[in-house]
Amino acid sequence: QVQLVESGGGWVQPGGSLNLSCAASGFTFSSYSMTWVRQAPGKELEWVSTIHGDGGRASYVARTVKNRFTISRDDAKNTLYLQMNSLQPEDTAVYYCAKGVGLNYVARGQGTQVTVAA
């Protein structure tokens, strides 16, 4: 079955960086678009970024993280990444890797906590 396991979260000071990873298994990773979403305490689930699969590399990021976050993938390693720079307290959330496009994903992982605080 589909398994998505996120890693790389943690605590970082404002202005810092983190690189999240998502190890995928149970499906043909290269064929699917993949997405990062996040959920802050008390807030709704928010789409962060999507990257197409099946040979394409087109990617999209939410306006709130544009020019700070970069999504990428390594199909040889079945791994999705999210490089996060210039982190701010409002980026504090649980970050989830998901199979699919945007919030219309079909599966997601357990999430990794990102905390941005001084």
Side-chain angles (χ1 to χ4, degrees), residues 5-11 17-22 36 82 84 112-114:
V5 180
E6 302 92 340
S7 62
W11 172 83
S17 298
L18 285 173
N19 189 24
L20 305 184
S21 299
C22 170
W36 288 98
L82 184 68
M84 306 187 295
T112 185
Q113 175 72 47
V114 171

Side-chain angles (χ1 to χ4, degrees), residues 36-94:
W36 288 98
V37 297
R38 68 184 182 183
Q39 189 160 26
K43 294 190 176 181
E44 293 186 353
L45 194 66
E46 177 188 13
W47 169 72
V48 175
S49 189
T50 294
I51 185 168
H52 286 316
D54 210 14
R57 284 294 180 267
S59 62
Y60 311 89
V61 293
R63 180 182 54 81
T64 53
V65 303
K66 191 176 181 180
N67 298 323
R68 300 190 297 122
F69 290 12
T70 303
I71 192 172
S72 62
R73 63 191 299 158
D74 185 336
D75 290 343
K77 295 182 178 179
N78 288 352
T79 302
L80 179 72
Y81 302 99
L82 184 68
Q83 176 66 43
M84 306 187 295
N85 299 326
S86 301
L87 283 160
Q88 300 301 318
E90 53 265 34
D91 296 316
T92 295
V94 178

